[in-house]
Structures are given as structure tokens and as C-alpha cells.
Amino acid sequence: MSNTKSLLTIKDLHASVEEKQIIKGLSLDVKPGEVHAIMGPNGAGKSTLGYVLSGRDGYHVESGSVALDGDDLLAMETEERARAGLFLAFQYPVEIPGVSNLEFLKAAVDAQRQARGEDPVTSADFLKEAKAACKQVNLPVAFLKRGVNEGFSGGEKKRNELMQMLLLKPKLCILDETDSGLDIDALQVVAEGVNSQRSDDRSFIVVTHYQRLLDYIKPDFVHVLSGGKIVKSGDASLALELEAQGYAWLQNEPAEDELEG
Amino acid sequence: MTEQIDKALAREYEAGFVSDVESETFVPGLDEDVIRRISAMKNEPEWMLEWRLSAFREWLEMEEPDWALVDYPKIDFQSISYYSAPKSMQDKPKSLDEVDPELLRTYEKLGIPLVEQQMLAGVAVDAVFDSVSVVTTFREKLEEAGVIFCSISEALHKYPDLVRKYIGSVVPKKDNYYAALNCAVFTDGSFVYIPKGTRCPMELSTYFRINEQNTGQFERTLIVADEGSHVSYLEGCTAPQRDENQLHAAVVELVALDNAEIKYSTVQNWYPGDENGKGGIYNFVTKRGICHTNAKISWTQVETGSSVTWKYPSCILKGDNSVGEFYSVALTRGRQQADTGTKMIHLGKNTKSTIISKGISAGRSNNSYRGLVRMNPGAQGARNYTQCDSLLIGDQCGAHTFPYVESRNPSAIVEHEATTSKVSDEQLFLCRQRGLDPEKAVSMIVNGFCKEVFKELPMEFAVEAGKLLEISLEGSVG
């Protein structure tokens, strides 16, 4: 494994929002095909990490570096990062009234194809693919004609995010608290969708507060994020440990790098 | 974000070129002599001149209205030229072959080829350049169906009785300040007559182009749909990019007799002025239609141009069971100001009206919806549904809604819904995170917002309108 080239390499990242430093020296290495879970208490910077990596306005990188597939991710515009294969599944997907899901998805797929120098997908082919994706995430096909997330329930929105992921076929998927607000059935659907997409050339960063999602999506690595940095890393058993102990112990434990240093 | 919007909105106006055409243009100024000269140039019947002069005398007594939410320096009506026509049009070319190629090139550049073979099949065009109609296409085909489609100047000669019967019958001479001015000085425009029981075999379209400097355009359109007939009509407008403001004061009258249907669509793209509000067209337009029994008039407008827009396409629902519709998209950016809406006057029983208005404001613009729904005592069982939605792009623009409802019949039902929303950072971020560039994202969000109106446009033009919106929004976000 260690010889494999990394897909994502984050080195000593410091980032702030509205002049408040949230990420304070975070390093992470993700190889193709790996699933990394990032857990941590509220306010640890979990969602911020996803926004910083995807280049949301207002999230400023102060220092450090991020490479995706060897390219400098931080030098890219938001849409260029997406076209380079980075996908963020939102915790609270926003509505775009009047723009049909199908139209939105095709525009997104075509924008990414264009960036790769490919022709737009034909409407007929795309419709076929989109219908299959609907089926896979257990959404009625009628949802393709509805406005993006318009009037969708919480669970439907999350499945819609997953459908976008299926169609865009990213290299790196960041799932931002995808489990929040889902009942157990919806959680299973989403988890199955994610698992079906696991492959040797696709990696996942699963950001979650609770261990329960990891019962369904088995991570290769679990990292604990606290105070803007990773304070502990381990395998899937770390998640269970956290579940049993909660996050309170973190306050007394020095960060890993401080131990190493 | 606002700074980026401002920077990006400073885009080129694609129709802003000037055509090198030698024109005969009146020296600026307005008095009875000017009106006599206009009438003489057109060799009009005496009654028409008298009508113009009486309108002019009314106008002199009237005050420029100031109730609209628009702000512009006082117009000096003596500094405007009231007539300008390409010299080549003096000989009245009889066919397309005789029309000055420079004029044809102008329309081609605007995407309106006038050579029939190159045109959109199924659309006949009347091309009006400054004060005169250059050419009307597909006339023979229309004549076969008995449809009259020509310039109003020509109609005054060929069909004087029809014109005399209906001109001023929907918009009276002294209806308002700009309408009165138009009555006095109108130069050209289109005339349409659809005979009884006839479905017009093609879309009719007038394309207005202002070219000459310091010239006002005062066109007049009259459409009469006889009993049981049907017509769909579209107008488009552009003007060169100039530093001075130019005045456009049009009047459109629609007459839908019993069981007739008129669908009138506008794609308005007059020069909007630069990002600081310099230049641009003042668009003061009166549009009104009258519906007789069981008739229907549907106004659809996509307004993206002009520095000031003052326009309220309206329906007088006189006949029982008649239907009025108003679908509007008004986009303002830079320093544009739009005060637009409709009036639905319900007179007959069981009359119905629908108003869907979508206002989009960007930059430092101001966009107002102003609409009146009046249920007269005789409007038993009448219904209106109004929906006004405003979309804001950035945080320095304004959106306003001024609904007026007057109900004098207790059985009438009036519904009004209004919303205001913003193109949010979250929406933009979602689109960009999926790989769309910001401009595509904004135009997609705006198009989605306008969907209910675009679906009312004739298909050929719905695509155009979407594209126009895309161009208008080009670079609206950085």
C-alpha cells in the first residue's frame, strides 16, 4: 500500500473563516480506494475541512498545501476542483427552484466532460443513466423532472446528493455528515449507494459525528478531529472506542503531533 | 461578491453597432409644422393629420407622469428629431432586391435575416428601421390566407377604413402623456388584420431598430383579430450603443373580437446604457388590448434592455368569459430602472385574468412590478390570480412590488402571491462544486426562476429569450 501514489495529500493545513482560525495544522494522506472517516465533536472543524478542500468562498487557507492526484488543489477554482474529481456531498443540500434535476445534472456532467475534452453526453444516453441512478438510490424517476431539491424531504435530499455522485463518478468523495437527519432505512440506502461506488480508484472521506454510519460504511482509517487538527488516528475500532467513551476525553489528551514532536 | 458582479457586468452590448446608412433626418424640434411634415412625408389622408394635431394639442396641456419608481433627467422634447429614414427608402423599394444591402446586413447582424429562404420557417417579419418599415416578408403567403400584415403607413393607404375604425379605439389619444405624444408623431409600425375564423398560418414578428442619433422612435402597432380568429405576434428591439439617451414611446393596440385570440410576445433588448448609467433608451410604452366575448389576449414579455422602462401591457376584459394573461420577465442590471406590470380591467361576467411577473435585479438596478386588477360592478364571477416573484443578485439592487386591487363586485375573486429571493451563495457553491462555472450557474438559476414565463413564449423565441438572458448575465458573478 505504502508504495501506491497518494490521491490526496494534505500537509499542515491552516484555514480560517471570517478571520477565525478553524483548521490548525491538519495533515492527511488518502490513497486511491481508501475510506477515511473523520470524527469529532461539534465545532472541531469537520464541515470546514470539506468546504476548504472544495474551495468555498469565504474559507481562507493561511498556510499548508493540498495535492489532488499530484496537482495543487488550492490553486484551482471551485469548479476546477470539481472537474478534477472532487465531490462534496452536502450536509444541507440547497434548493434551486425551477431548474430540473435532470437539467442540472446534465449540465454538471457536460461541464466535467468538456473539461476533459469530451463531447457532451447525448440526452437519450444521459436519461438512461440518470434513471438507473434514480433506481439505485431509491428515488422515483419523477424526481428527475422536479426542481433541484425543491420540496424534497431531508432523506430525499441526501439520496439526491448520492445520485449526483453516481453520475459524476468522482475520484474523491467527501461526505459531510451525510447521516444527519436520516432514519435507519434511509441511512442504509445511502450507505449501500456509497458502498456500491467503492472501488480501487475512488476514495472517500466520511465526515460524521456518530459511529452509526460506520456500521454500514466500513472505514479503512478513522481520524479524530479536535481543535482543528487530527489528534488520533486508528482503524475502524477507534470509532467504536469513541462511541463508548464520547469525545470528552479529548480535552485531556495531547495531539498526536505534539507527542511526536 | 458585489465587486465581482460590478466588474463582470461591464459587458458588451452585442447589438450596439451603428449602421452606415445615409438618412434623411428632421432637425430636432417639435411643433405643428413638424407633425404636418411627418404626415406629408407619408402622404397621409387629411383625417389622419387632424387626428395627430388634436393629439398634439392635448399633449401640450398634459403633464409628464412622475408616479413611477424611476429617476431620470427631464426630457427636452425639442432636442429630439422626430423623423429619420434611410435615403434609400425614399424610392419605396418594391422588393427585397431593391432594398439597400447595408440595411439587410444590419438585420442579418442582429440575427434577423430578411431573405425568406434564410429565415425561420413559419415566421413573417416586418423590419422597422428608425422611422420607416424596410420590408415585410412572406406577404404573399399571408395574403393567400387573407391576413393583412404590413406597415401602418401602408395600411393607411390600402386599408384606411380599417385603420380609422380601430386606431385610438383601445388607447385613446389623451390616455397618457407618452401615448398622446405618440399619436402626434408616430412614424411607422405594423398593422395586422386577421379575417373572421382564420388561424394565421405563421408567426408574425416586427423587429424595431433605432439607428440614427438623437432620434426618437415612436412606432404604432395595431392588431385586429376578427371574430373567431387566432394570431401569434412577436416584437423585438435593439439600438446602437450611444452616450446620449434616446426616447422610445410606442403605442400598441390589440382588438380581439368575439372568440378571437391574440398572443403578443415581446423580447425587448434596447441599449441599456453603460454600467454607470450613461446612455440607453428611455422606453415609455403603452400597450393595451380589448377582449370581446369569449376572446383571449395573452401578453408575454422578456425585458432585458433600456435604461428606463415604463410599461404596462394591459387587458380590458369587456366581453363575458373573456381571458387576459400577462407573463413577464424583467431583468435589470447596472443602473437600469424598470417599472413594469399590467392592468387587468374586468368588465364582463366570468372574465378571468392571470398575472405572472418575474423580476430579476442585479448590479445597482431597480426593478418594480406595478399592477392593477380592477373588478367592475358588472364583473360577476370574475377571477384573477397574480403571482409576483423577485430575484436579487448581489446586495445593491432593489426589487419592489406595487399591487393595486379594486374590487367592486363581491362575487369576484382576486388572489395575489408575492415572493422575494436571492441567488444565494449556497446555490452558487452547489453549482460550482458540481463543475459549473459561475456564469452558467447564475444563468441556470435565473432561467429556472423564469421558467413559468418562458414556457409561454413561441418555441422559436423561448430559446432566444433564454440565450438573451444568458448574454445579459454574462459575467454577472466573478
Side-chain angles (χ1 to χ4, degrees):
Chain A
M1 279 292 262
S2 59
N3 293 331
T4 320
K5 225 174 101 196
S6 293
L7 174 67
L8 180 77
T9 308
I10 305 174
K11 280 188 187 150
D12 198 24
L13 186 68
H14 290 75
S16 63
V17 186
E18 286 167 359
E19 288 173 27
K20 188 170 177 243
Q21 206 181 59
I22 307 283
I23 305 286
K24 302 169 183 168
L26 186 147
S27 297
L28 182 68
D29 193 76
V30 178
K31 294 202 162 53
E34 290 177 353
V35 175
H36 290 244
I38 294 189
M39 302 183 71
N42 291 325
K46 300 195 300 289
S47 289
T48 300
L49 179 62
Y51 290 148
V52 169
L53 292 179
S54 51
R56 182 168 188 168
D57 279 353
Y59 289 75
H60 301 289
V61 173
E62 289 165 347
S63 64
S65 69
V66 181
L68 181 70
D69 240 359
D71 295 322
D72 181 0
L73 188 74
L74 301 178
M76 298 181 206
E77 294 288 348
T78 307
E79 57 273 21
E80 290 168 346
R81 298 179 192 195
R83 293 167 192 165
L86 185 150
F87 181 93
L88 175 67
F90 289 83
Q91 185 178 4
Y92 303 110
V94 69
E95 298 188 2
I96 310 181
V99 177
S100 78
N101 237 338
L102 190 69
E103 180 187 353
F104 174 72
L105 288 169
K106 184 166 189 309
V109 167
D110 283 345
Q112 300 209 7
R113 288 175 68 98
Q114 196 183 356
R116 295 193 295 264
E118 296 167 21
D119 288 335
V121 59
T122 68
S123 298
D125 286 350
F126 186 72
L127 187 62
K128 215 181 286 171
E129 237 177 288
K131 278 182 176 169
C134 260
K135 196 169 275 178
Q136 199 176 341
V137 301
N138 214 3
L139 276 180
V141 172
F143 274 66
L144 291 173
K145 292 230 167 113
R146 286 179 51 181
V148 176
N149 294 322
E150 201 179 352
F152 290 18
S153 71
E156 287 163 350
K157 283 182 184 176
K158 295 290 170 68
R159 280 183 269 162
N160 203 38
E161 293 290 292
L162 188 59
M163 176 162 74
Q164 294 170 34
M165 188 180 91
L166 298 183
L167 290 168
L168 289 167
K169 304 181 182 72
K171 285 183 202 157
L172 175 67
C173 309
I174 303 169
L175 310 182
D176 185 12
E177 309 224 11
T178 293
D179 49 332
S180 71
L182 291 188
D183 62 30
I184 202 77
D185 293 334
L187 188 72
Q188 274 180 331
V189 170
V190 169
E192 278 164 23
V194 169
N195 287 331
S196 75
Q197 294 303 298
R198 288 178 75 157
S199 73
D200 292 346
D201 53 4
R202 182 168 297 132
S203 312
F204 289 84
I205 295 176
V206 180
V207 174
T208 181
H209 186 79
Y210 301 104
Q211 193 268 337
R212 130 187 126 137
L213 179 65
L214 305 180
D215 285 341
Y216 300 98
I217 303 172
K218 293 281 176 223
D220 299 308
F221 301 93
V222 174
H223 310 277
V224 181
L225 185 66
S226 179
K229 60 173 85 171
I230 288 171
V231 293
K232 202 172 173 77
S233 296
D235 59 16
S237 64
L238 178 58
L240 294 168
E241 199 179 314
L242 286 168
E243 181 79 355
Q245 297 185 9
Y247 292 110
W249 58 273
L250 283 173
Q251 269 127 32
N252 308 320
E253 189 137 325
E256 253 179 13
D257 54 352
E258 283 169 23
L259 285 177
E260 285 163 7
Chain B
M1 193 157 107
T2 310
E3 194 186 304
Q4 292 166 312
I5 290 172
D6 284 352
K7 198 174 116 204
L9 276 175
R11 57 100 193 173
E12 295 263 326
Y13 174 71
E14 294 200 340
F17 63 90
V18 179
S19 303
D20 186 14
V21 173
E22 211 183 335
S23 284
E24 156 129 27
T25 304
F26 283 11
V27 289
L30 180 60
D31 55 21
E32 292 200 3
D33 263 359
V34 168
I35 293 165
R36 284 176 208 284
R37 280 172 65 205
I38 292 172
S39 191
M41 292 291 286
K42 298 188 165 290
N43 200 15
E44 286 176 352
E46 185 62 26
W47 64 265
M48 193 72 244
L49 174 61
E50 286 309 318
W51 195 80
R52 285 174 179 278
L53 289 171
S54 77
F56 179 63
R57 287 164 200 148
E58 303 264 19
W59 179 74
L60 288 173
E61 303 295 318
M62 294 170 88
E63 297 271 336
E64 202 172 338
D66 62 359
W67 41 261
L69 193 68
V70 292
D71 184 30
Y72 57 94
K74 221 170 156 43
I75 298 170
D76 177 4
F77 290 92
Q78 296 304 331
S79 70
I80 297 170
S81 165
Y82 289 83
Y83 186 88
S84 177
K87 279 203 170 140
S88 61
M89 292 305 295
Q90 280 174 353
D91 315 327
K92 297 203 172 37
K94 291 187 185 43
S95 73
L96 216 52
D97 304 337
E98 294 175 30
V99 173
D100 181 354
E102 182 61 29
L103 286 175
L104 296 182
R105 264 199 296 281
T106 299
Y107 285 92
E108 211 172 293
K109 249 166 113 173
L110 294 168
I112 327 277
L114 297 175
V115 180
E116 292 182 4
Q117 294 87 319
Q118 297 171 8
M119 292 188 60
L120 273 174
V123 184
V125 178
D126 183 20
V128 176
F129 191 87
D130 288 331
S131 305
V132 293
S133 167
V134 175
V135 71
T136 310
T137 61
F138 289 114
R139 297 176 59 142
E140 283 157 22
K141 189 168 175 197
L142 291 169
E143 273 164 25
E144 276 170 32
V147 171
I148 301 170
F149 180 39
C150 63
S151 72
I152 199 142
S153 310
E154 191 180 335
L156 271 166
H157 292 283
K158 286 193 177 162
Y159 318 99
D161 296 343
L162 270 177
V163 177
R164 193 170 186 179
K165 182 170 174 189
Y166 290 109
I167 196 168
S169 71
V170 189
V171 179
K173 273 181 292 187
K174 57 174 181 180
D175 184 81
N176 68 70
Y177 189 77
Y178 303 108
L181 176 65
N182 175 285
C183 291
V185 303
F186 77 88
T187 44
D188 219 333
S190 300
F191 175 75
V192 174
Y193 173 78
I194 315 291
K196 268 185 198 168
T198 302
R199 204 181 165 90
C200 186
M202 49 204 323
E203 299 273 345
L204 304 182
S205 158
T206 300
Y207 196 88
F208 296 101
R209 173 76 178 169
I210 297 178
N211 188 57
E212 202 60 26
Q213 205 157 3
N214 299 326
T215 306
Q217 194 175 45
F218 305 93
E219 89 268 1
R220 186 141 194 132
T221 297
L222 174 58
I223 298 176
V224 180
D226 213 327
E227 292 172 17
S229 68
H230 180 283
V231 62
S232 171
Y233 179 94
L234 182 120
E235 66 167 18
C237 350
T238 57
Q241 196 161 344
R242 297 190 189 279
D243 286 347
E244 302 80 25
N245 295 103
Q246 281 176 286
L247 177 62
H248 170 255
V251 171
V252 175
E253 294 179 284
L254 309 184
V255 179
L257 296 176
D258 293 356
N259 302 305
E261 185 177 340
I262 301 175
K263 188 173 173 61
Y264 192 105
S265 314
T266 304
V267 176
Q268 188 264 107
N269 185 26
W270 295 118
Y271 177 53
D274 69 12
E275 70 270 32
N276 298 315
K278 194 166 191 201
I281 303 289
Y282 293 155
N283 192 32
F284 300 107
V285 173
T286 306
K287 292 181 164 175
R288 193 175 303 152
I290 188 161
C291 285
H292 292 263
T293 305
N294 292 324
K296 177 177 173 183
I297 287 178
S298 179
W299 298 100
T300 305
Q301 60 173 21
V302 178
E303 304 275 318
T304 61
S306 299
S307 57
V308 177
T309 296
W310 181 100
K311 178 180 172 190
Y312 315 90
S314 305
C315 296
I316 300 169
L317 303 171
K318 185 182 172 202
D320 293 349
N321 308 313
S322 60
V323 177
E325 293 174 341
F326 175 74
Y327 300 99
S328 171
V329 166
L331 171 95
T332 55
R333 55 190 184 82
R335 300 268 180 173
Q336 277 179 287
Q337 309 173 70
D339 193 299
T340 184
T342 183
K343 288 188 274 187
M344 293 291 175
I345 312 294
H346 292 252
L347 304 177
K349 293 191 190 75
N350 300 316
T351 45
K352 261 195 254 169
S353 64
T354 304
I355 299 170
I356 309 282
S357 164
K358 303 278 182 176
I360 303 137
S361 329
R364 289 176 170 75
S365 69
N366 252 314
N367 201 326
S368 307
Y369 166 81
R370 188 183 302 275
L372 167 68
V373 176
R374 179 185 289 155
M375 301 296 187
N376 271 37
Q380 196 69 19
R383 292 196 72 137
N384 160 265
Y385 173 74
T386 299
Q387 185 189 325
C388 289
D389 299 324
S390 306
L391 183 70
L392 302 167
I393 303 174
D395 52 10
Q396 293 187 293
C397 50
H400 316 271
T401 305
F402 303 101
Y404 305 81
V405 176
E406 298 172 10
S407 187
R408 300 194 191 114
N409 185 311
S411 72
I413 299 171
V414 179
E415 286 177 84
H416 182 97
E417 285 180 28
T419 66
T420 301
S421 52
K422 282 188 79 168
V423 173
S424 67
D425 289 347
E426 282 89 355
Q427 287 172 327
L428 271 180
F429 179 54
L430 167 62
C431 293
R432 294 181 68 189
Q433 209 303 304
R434 297 303 182 249
L436 300 174
D437 57 48
E439 275 132 27
K440 174 74 185 164
V442 170
S443 91
M444 185 181 261
I445 294 165
V446 170
N447 265 292
F449 175 74
C450 300
K451 192 156 273 179
E452 283 159 283
V453 173
F454 284 172
K455 74 176 201 289
E456 296 298 327
L457 285 170
M459 208 174 60
E460 296 89 330
F461 302 113
V463 180
E464 283 303 305
K467 272 193 214 147
L468 183 61
L469 222 57
E470 216 157 291
I471 295 168
S472 293
L473 286 164
E474 205 158 273
S476 66
V477 207

